Amino acid sequence: MGNQFEADVIVVGAGTAGCYFAWQMGKAGYKVLILEAKKLTNLGRHIEIFHMDKIRFDEFGIPHPTADELIHLEETGYNWSPDLKVRQPVRYPIYVMHMPSFIQRMQSYARESGASILEYAEVKDVLLEKDTLVGVRGRLRADDFEARGRLVVDASGLAAAVRTRLPAGFGVENTPVPARDCFFVCLEFREQVPIGNPTGSNSYMFHKAFWNKSYGEGAILGIGQPQSFEYAWGKHKEWREEYFGDPGKVTQHRQGVIPYHRPPFSLVGNGFMAIGDSANQNKPFSGEGVTSGFTACKIASEVAIKALGKQDVSREALWPYNLRYFRGQGAKFAGGLAQLPAVAELTRKDVNYLFHHNIIFSSADFEELNRNYEINLGMGKLIKIILGLLWGVLSGRFHANSFRKFLSVSAKAGRLKAHYLAYPESPGIFPAWEMQARKLWGE
């Protein structure tokens, strides 16, 4: 064998999730090794600019961005109706940031806590002993390597380099996210944008598109669509030409893929945890996965520290990560993900009606969604929404099929959230819970 490495914790992936988790484990005194398949300085360049909620920095104990990392602070964004007659302000501060610089800062925190990072370390296989994951092997530049640890954490993003190599019967789903359950995000950077075009942060929900600030006075025109990059770029052009023509000068294009798929029903196995995009922990209403991944990382690191301290990294010892995640953020996201089909199938007329009558798409709803990851639909509000939609149907401004779909998926979303809130306390009763979950998802 070539290179041999040992650590308490092996983290696969040096992105935001992997480095945050490694940082927490290093601060707790554990020896951490991070394996990254790509060149470290290239991470994040496929997107380059991203947005992050200002309030989440304090929540996760991360210093706020400064210097070259911070491009803008947007205190208020706007959501537009398809006919551009309604502009809903969303008073929720967002940092516009340089992703490669932020990832490098997170890497520096991991190193400062004692973690080591190896770039060009591509995982090719997993190492198991007596049904327990004890490490990984792969290629480190031109040589083979083997890395062993008491705990292996998959933070490798959509590729899920460890999870998808786990054997059947390990207790964690090993299937990759199918392309049909991904969103292809396409960004177009423009400079010299003429006066009269949008400024600041603007979302066009019907088109799944946005016009945001870029460097200086530049703009980023972005879109997220299913199927493929080719399809997404085609929809990008349609949206841009319909509303803005061909403003300014195109300076660059960026693109990336994010999962829109439910997480595996269990995120732990003997000696194993999955976090971030490898566990499909993206926000269903926006696709953003950095801060939602941090939520999972915080829980996972607390559970891992306790388990390692007791010299027990069994599935049972790591189970509290499942329990705490799926009874919290995971339950909210399950409900939100179940509602996506109804939102995605709304017609232009439907969306205009919702905007014009402040039904679901109000400023307060958008702000609550960002802060709490869901809209709290009490009985009074739900009745008001249903009556508003029914009036839209009767007046011919909202499609009856859309109304029926809304009622159907809302009921399904409620059942799914309730099921996740009742996530099993222990692995012993998990199979029955999983069977019912699959039925609710329609699998």
Side-chain angles (χ1 to χ4, degrees), residues 251-300:
T251 58
Q252 58 183 325
H253 294 89
R254 293 286 187 267
Q255 60 186 37
V257 186
I258 54 177
Y260 260 94
H261 187 78
R262 63 157 181 81
F265 291 123
S266 172
L267 307 176
V268 304
N270 293 329
F272 172 78
M273 286 176 148
I275 55 176
D277 281 9
S278 71
N280 311 332
Q281 291 169 333
N282 299 63
K283 300 174 186 174
F285 54 88
S286 69
E288 188 271 323
V290 175
T291 56
S292 53
F294 284 163
T295 299
C297 289
K298 188 173 187 296
I299 298 170

Side-chain angles (χ1 to χ4, degrees), residues 74-138:
E74 292 291 337
E75 296 283 357
T76 302
Y78 297 92
N79 283 318
W80 292 83
S81 61
D83 59 12
L84 302 184
K85 292 180 180 179
V86 177
R87 186 182 74 161
Q88 297 282 17
V90 182
R91 297 170 184 86
Y92 183 75
I94 295 287
Y95 285 126
V96 182
M97 298 169 58
H98 186 248
M99 180 174 276
S101 297
F102 180 65
I103 292 176
Q104 288 167 32
R105 174 154 68 104
M106 296 304 298
Q107 291 168 356
S108 73
Y109 292 158
R111 287 194 182 96
E112 289 166 7
S113 74
S116 300
I117 307 178
L118 291 179
E119 61 183 354
Y120 299 116
E122 185 177 3
V123 170
K124 296 289 188 179
D125 200 3
V126 295
L127 302 172
L128 290 113
E129 294 178 359
K130 297 180 180 179
D131 299 322
T132 297
L133 185 63
V134 297
V136 295
R137 62 165 60 101

Side-chain angles (χ1 to χ4, degrees), residues 312-326:
D312 182 3
V313 293
S314 65
R315 187 187 188 205
E316 290 77 9
L318 300 176
W319 197 260
Y321 169 38
N322 272 342
L323 192 65
R324 291 172 57 187
Y325 180 76
F326 285 120

Side-chain angles (χ1 to χ4, degrees), residues 116-408:
S116 300
I117 307 178
L118 291 179
E119 61 183 354
Y120 299 116
E122 185 177 3
V123 170
K124 296 289 188 179
D125 200 3
V126 295
L127 302 172
L128 290 113
E129 294 178 359
K130 297 180 180 179
D131 299 322
T132 297
L133 185 63
V134 297
V136 295
R137 62 165 60 101
R139 295 286 290 177
L140 178 60
R141 298 182 185 272
D143 299 322
D144 293 331
F145 80 87
E146 184 174 285
R148 288 177 171 264
R150 296 158 62 192
L151 178 65
V152 179
V153 178
D154 193 348
S156 61
L158 184 61
V162 180
R163 181 177 64 79
T164 56
R165 288 179 168 85
L166 295 172
F170 186 76
V172 178
E173 294 164 78
N174 59 7
T175 53
V177 178
R180 67 177 181 273
D181 289 342
C182 292
F183 257 38
F184 296 81
V185 180
C186 300
L187 309 179
E188 188 176 74
F189 289 61
R190 288 181 173 251
E191 300 290 346
Q192 302 172 19
V193 178
I195 295 173
N197 283 286
T199 58
S201 295
N202 303 269
S203 294
Y204 304 83
M205 292 189 60
F206 174 72
H207 298 85
K208 305 177 184 67
F210 57 87
W211 174 303
N212 290 338
K213 290 184 73 172
S214 178
Y215 304 105
E217 298 302 318
I220 300 176
L221 282 67
I223 201 166
Q225 292 285 330
Q227 299 187 28
S228 66
F229 283 123
E230 182 180 8
Y231 179 81
W233 279 117
K235 289 296 182 180
H236 186 288
K237 182 179 179 181
E238 289 178 16
W239 162 70
R240 173 181 54 76
E241 291 183 345
E242 177 185 353
Y243 287 152
F244 315 113
D246 190 19
K249 176 184 177 183
V250 177
T251 58
Q252 58 183 325
H253 294 89
R254 293 286 187 267
Q255 60 186 37
V257 186
I258 54 177
Y260 260 94
H261 187 78
R262 63 157 181 81
F265 291 123
S266 172
L267 307 176
V268 304
N270 293 329
F272 172 78
M273 286 176 148
I275 55 176
D277 281 9
S278 71
N280 311 332
Q281 291 169 333
N282 299 63
K283 300 174 186 174
F285 54 88
S286 69
E288 188 271 323
V290 175
T291 56
S292 53
F294 284 163
T295 299
C297 289
K298 188 173 187 296
I299 298 170
S301 62
E302 292 169 357
V303 172
I305 289 168
K306 186 174 181 180
L308 287 166
K310 292 184 175 182
Q311 302 290 320
D312 182 3
V313 293
S314 65
R315 187 187 188 205
E316 290 77 9
L318 300 176
W319 197 260
Y321 169 38
N322 272 342
L323 192 65
R324 291 172 57 187
Y325 180 76
F326 285 120
R327 287 190 177 184
Q329 177 176 282
K332 295 179 181 180
F333 283 7
L337 194 62
Q339 291 175 320
L340 277 179
V343 176
E345 294 172 17
L346 291 175
T347 67
R348 186 181 294 248
K349 183 173 76 170
D350 293 334
V351 178
N352 277 326
Y353 177 77
L354 296 177
F355 268 94
H356 281 263
H357 291 82
N358 275 333
I359 301 174
I360 305 174
F361 295 164
S362 69
S363 294
D365 289 335
F366 286 126
E367 290 164 13
E368 184 179 5
L369 192 60
N370 278 292
R371 290 185 184 279
N372 302 321
Y373 297 158
E374 66 177 353
I375 298 173
N376 185 15
L377 295 178
M379 185 56 66
K381 185 168 185 175
L382 184 60
I383 291 173
K384 184 177 179 181
I385 289 173
I386 292 174
L387 290 176
L389 295 178
L390 185 58
W391 173 248
V393 172
L394 295 175
S395 62
R397 289 175 287 177
F398 195 82
H399 287 92
N401 285 340
S402 298
F403 178 59
R404 287 191 289 269
K405 184 76 171 181
F406 172 81
L407 294 178
S408 174

